[in-house]
Amino acid sequence: DQPVLYLALSSDILPLSMVDEYAETLMAQRISMVSGVAQVMVYGAQKYAVRVQVNPQALSSMGIALDEVAEAIQKSNVNLPTGTLYGRHQAFTVQATGQLFNADAYRPLIVAYRDGSPIRLEQLGRIIDSVENDKAASWLNNSRAIVLAIQRQPGTNTVAVVDAIKELLPSFRDRIPAPINLSVLYDRSETIRDSVDDVKFTLYLAVCLVVMVIFLFLRNLSATIISSLALPLSIIGTFAVMQRMGYSLDNISLMAITLSVGFVVDDAIVMLENIVRHMEMGKGRMEAAIDGAREIGFTILSMTLSLIAVFIPLFFMGGIMGRLLHEFAVTITAAVLISGFVSLSLTPMMCSRFLHPSDTARLGGLYEFSEHFFNAMLYGYERSLRMILRHRLLTLIFSILLVGVTSYLFLLVPKEFIPSQDTGRIVGFTEGIQGISFQSMVEHQQALTEIISREPNIDNFMSAIGARSSSPTGNSGRFFLTLKPRSERKETVEQIIQDLRKKLAVVPGIKVFMQNPPIIRIGGRLTKSLYQYTLQATDMNELQEWAPRVEEVLKDMPELQDVSSDLEITNPQVLVEIDRNKALSMGITPEQIESTLYDAYGSRQVSTIYTSANQYQVILEVEPQYQQSPASLSMLYLRATSGKLVPLDSVAVLSRNLGPLTVNHTGQLPSVTVSFNLKPGVALGDAVDKIRKSVQELGLPANVITSFQGTAQAFEDSMKGMWLLLIMAILVIYIVLGILYESFIHPLTILSGLPSAGVGALLTLLFFDTSLSIYAFVGIIMLIGIVKKNAIMMIDFALMVQRRDGKNPIEAIFDGCILRFRPIMMTTMAALMGSLPIALGLGAGAEARRPLGMAVVGGLLLSQFLTLDITPVIYIYLESFAAWLRRMLGRKLNHISAENVEAL
């Protein structure tokens, strides 16, 4: 998981080692004990240490080997248990002063005697108060600082974790010396709070729009209030279910509740509209409520159960897509179930007590206008329906073509996993040339920070260089940029990245890779760019041969940028080739040689300083000027068994060559990961397809395995899961409708409007240049549940009329369409208005939700125009087909019966 909070400590007066003491000892340890915190990463750690930097020439002139210096330090700095004196009446603890606590105490240590005179440690070089790792540094803006990056545990609430840490900050400030500044560099909970607040506003707006739709269609205040009661009751009931399931109010659950606003009132609208229709026939409130509820009850039950059926496949999905959608499915299913129960119970009861006829005199002009407008819509629909029914064959052909168009658009629309969001942060990685020195890396990094500090859209930033577990090479660095609030800048995060990329490219000798970090980072290793393509092979030489070719292929693709590889095999190195025979003849072992090299150049810890609160390292190395050139290795001497010092170059051959900085593994196989970012406007699906095709044309050997990792791999898996989910959702709805209607035919009639909804959703995404992401796909799944409600209302009434009045299918479906036109328009407009704020969302995190709203709004708009005309035609054809089947089965049964009679 990504850090949820960055804290920075800096001081212009105190040394960084003292700042680090408070950062690691006081803050990091205390914060790590906070519930929900996984780990605290410290950037630019400067923990105190004593460094003993010896001069190789001084050692050789005095006849002292480097390992003898290490042994002398170890024997002079001890912390052993010294025991207790138990007297007759009193006990005494024996305490010796074997510990040395600072550089001053180490300088007079005696390493050896020459001609009776002591050779002290300070005569062999420098002993300084320093830090454990002097090849790492971090900055807050342009000042040196220690930065704490806090990660939360998976499944914990980010806001709660951040609040718990912030409660500790006042106590930290009280205990930290005044010259040390403690500041919050980045707080991820702020973007989450802003996003949740925006979703709440969207929810309130959706509720207002839905209530307005109900009032405009019914023009009755009491009817509007009665049907609107389904909203708060459904939402409150859903909150109770969420609490029972252990869910929190996050973007997923709030988005589900916002979407449900548009259709939890559908059942109440249908129930209320039918009761109002019975009242308009002259019935009393009680009689109209009983008759209307009895007539429409099965329809509402069918609508509710079939809508829930859409989400059943989500409960059984695995992987990251299943985890993302499970909470969404549970939340929206709870809302639908509760709204169905409310509509079948509370709504008719309220109508029987409080529903009043519309007072046309009080409504005046509003009533007249809305009545004329609705009658005009109904008249226009009636005329279009009569014309459609006269040209049924053309309509049937058109509906079949829609299925093909839907499939084509699914293939055409660009696809991605999760849309990027502008959360006001940028993560950057820097890469110097292989073999770059630490000081040179500092200079290059500071040249970049100078440019970044002039960027007006950046509020503050953190910069760090040096080897870490996530980037173990010394030629790497990191940036973390916090942008100003969205309201204070005109450019989006993607635009700022593109602008910074050009400005930072002018610094020679260092590469910069920037990315807008995803809300959810999925698997894979942490790489310089967002997406990863990995090559694996058992033969490392073959891997090193083909990985650069694949990298070049990706660099030549116009859709990609920031292409880089973790294959670093040209690092300058000094090869110490030991002459084993010669060395062993002098009594010098390979272990002795490597140990001496480690003492000289490995910042080796040779002793430990123990205090009551912490422990610190004593580090041995040669002086800095002898760490700069390979020629310095010849100044190292080893102690032979004869007692003489032997120069290193007499028992080993020193040469220069190139070698790898690191060898990475994925699983158990050596691997090379090529990472890349997408250029603006390029969909991940298009990039993945082109990469696969280009690499396939390259002709890799069979034993070189390629695969996408991280987000790109999750995207590939989600694409497979999307098709399966869509098919399963349709199949489950068909089974549920088949059980409810005891028919194999009419579930197909009800589902006949789905292609038009799919076309509308996909065309909307294409028109607004929006990719088909997981959120957009959820919108399409939602459409399946919403659109089929219209068909259920029409077909349920037509079947009832056919059974009750004996009308033919054409008359029955025509009457059903005209009679159900008002509730169909009301429910569709309610769903449309409930989704419209999501489609138009401009707040924090709206980039991810907007594709969902677009898919629902676009699908509803087109399907509303088409299904009202296509579904009646499909009903007539399928009803005729069912009648033909019944006749054929009847003849066959009669024939079988006649044969049985003759046999008897």
Side-chain angles (χ1 to χ4, degrees), residues 226-388:
I226 291 171
S227 58
S228 299
L229 283 175
L231 275 173
L233 292 175
S234 298
I235 292 175
I236 292 172
T238 304
F239 285 156
V241 174
M242 290 173 60
Q243 185 180 32
R244 179 63 180 170
M245 296 294 294
Y247 295 157
S248 59
L249 282 179
D250 52 29
N251 283 334
I252 297 293
S253 59
L254 280 173
M255 185 170 61
I257 292 173
T258 304
L259 279 172
S260 66
V261 166
F263 52 81
V264 294
V265 295
D266 286 3
D267 297 340
I269 288 173
V270 173
M271 174 66 75
L272 185 112
E273 191 277 337
N274 205 52
I275 293 173
V276 169
R277 186 172 60 84
H278 279 269
M279 287 185 65
E280 291 173 350
M281 297 178 186
K283 298 180 181 180
R285 283 196 303 243
M286 182 64 73
E287 184 183 4
I290 294 174
D291 292 346
R294 183 186 297 115
E295 183 181 66
I296 205 69
F298 181 77
T299 302
I300 291 177
L301 183 64
S302 301
M303 291 165 58
T304 301
L305 294 180
S306 60
L307 182 56
I308 292 173
V310 174
F311 303 102
I312 291 177
L314 296 179
F315 293 109
F316 301 97
M317 284 200 67
I320 186 64
M321 189 172 177
R323 293 180 63 187
L324 284 173
L325 300 182
H326 187 270
E327 183 178 347
F328 179 90
V330 170
T331 304
I332 211 162
T333 298
V336 171
L337 277 174
I338 295 169
S339 71
F341 176 77
V342 169
S343 302
L344 291 172
S345 55
L346 179 66
T347 302
M349 185 277 292
M350 295 286 289
C351 289
S352 67
R353 296 292 187 271
F354 306 108
L355 184 61
H356 299 284
S358 299
D359 189 349
T360 58
R362 291 181 60 187
L363 291 173
L366 176 62
Y367 178 86
E368 292 293 333
F369 173 78
S370 58
E371 185 70 17
H372 287 314
F373 181 75
F374 177 76
N375 288 335
M377 283 197 305
L378 182 60
Y379 175 73
Y381 173 61
E382 184 176 352
R383 291 192 59 183
S384 68
L385 182 59
R386 291 184 185 277
M387 182 183 68
I388 290 294

Side-chain angles (χ1 to χ4, degrees), residues 300-578:
I300 291 177
L301 183 64
S302 301
M303 291 165 58
T304 301
L305 294 180
S306 60
L307 182 56
I308 292 173
V310 174
F311 303 102
I312 291 177
L314 296 179
F315 293 109
F316 301 97
M317 284 200 67
I320 186 64
M321 189 172 177
R323 293 180 63 187
L324 284 173
L325 300 182
H326 187 270
E327 183 178 347
F328 179 90
V330 170
T331 304
I332 211 162
T333 298
V336 171
L337 277 174
I338 295 169
S339 71
F341 176 77
V342 169
S343 302
L344 291 172
S345 55
L346 179 66
T347 302
M349 185 277 292
M350 295 286 289
C351 289
S352 67
R353 296 292 187 271
F354 306 108
L355 184 61
H356 299 284
S358 299
D359 189 349
T360 58
R362 291 181 60 187
L363 291 173
L366 176 62
Y367 178 86
E368 292 293 333
F369 173 78
S370 58
E371 185 70 17
H372 287 314
F373 181 75
F374 177 76
N375 288 335
M377 283 197 305
L378 182 60
Y379 175 73
Y381 173 61
E382 184 176 352
R383 291 192 59 183
S384 68
L385 182 59
R386 291 184 185 277
M387 182 183 68
I388 290 294
L389 293 179
R390 287 196 297 268
H391 301 86
R392 295 193 296 274
L393 182 59
L394 289 176
T395 306
L396 179 63
I397 295 173
F398 177 74
S399 63
I400 295 173
L401 289 175
L402 277 179
V403 178
V405 172
T406 305
S407 302
Y408 172 74
L409 290 176
F410 257 115
L411 298 175
L412 182 63
V413 67
K415 302 172 184 67
E416 64 180 338
F417 186 53
I418 298 177
S420 61
Q421 299 183 35
D422 188 345
T423 57
R425 55 189 178 140
I426 298 173
V427 175
F429 298 89
T430 58
E431 179 184 330
I433 61 173
Q434 296 180 46
I436 189 173
S437 68
F438 174 73
Q439 187 56 42
S440 179
M441 190 66 189
V442 169
E443 294 170 359
H444 283 81
Q445 191 86 352
Q446 288 182 330
L448 296 175
T449 59
E450 183 64 27
I451 296 174
I452 292 174
S453 63
R454 296 196 296 265
E455 176 60 39
N457 292 308
I458 294 177
D459 189 18
N460 52 49
F461 63 91
M462 181 271 285
S463 172
I465 61 171
R468 290 183 53 83
S469 57
S470 58
S471 54
T473 58
N475 66 330
S476 61
R478 292 155 297 280
F479 283 112
F480 188 89
L481 315 180
T482 303
L483 306 181
K484 292 181 178 178
R486 190 70 180 88
S487 57
E488 298 180 17
R489 52 186 168 92
K490 297 179 181 179
E491 297 176 316
T492 65
V493 63
E494 296 294 345
Q495 292 170 333
I496 294 172
I497 287 177
Q498 295 301 321
D499 184 49
L500 273 176
R501 182 177 282 109
K502 297 176 184 177
K503 294 178 180 178
L504 298 178
V506 301
V507 179
I510 190 168
K511 298 178 182 178
V512 183
F513 306 89
M514 287 180 292
Q515 57 181 264
N516 176 18
I519 294 297
I520 304 173
R521 187 179 292 277
I522 303 166
R525 66 175 75 245
L526 183 63
T527 52
K528 300 178 182 69
S529 300
L530 191 57
Y531 306 105
Q532 300 137 29
Y533 188 66
T534 298
L535 293 83
Q536 295 174 274
T538 54
D539 187 347
M540 192 64 195
N541 292 328
E542 199 162 33
L543 195 61
Q544 292 176 357
E545 176 187 352
W546 285 96
R549 300 186 189 182
V550 173
E551 183 180 359
E552 288 302 318
V553 168
L554 267 62
K555 285 182 176 179
D556 292 338
M557 294 178 60
E559 296 84 5
L560 309 182
Q561 61 184 359
D562 294 340
V563 177
S564 65
S565 168
D566 63 2
L567 179 65
E568 296 183 299
I569 57 175
T570 59
N571 181 59
Q573 63 181 22
V574 178
L575 178 62
V576 180
E577 192 172 356
I578 301 172

Side-chain angles (χ1 to χ4, degrees), residues 182-198:
L182 171 60
S183 58
V184 177
L185 174 62
Y186 171 72
D187 178 2
R188 188 178 178 185
S189 69
E190 291 180 356
T191 58
I192 295 176
R193 295 176 208 269
D194 292 341
S195 182
V196 170
D197 290 341
D198 182 68

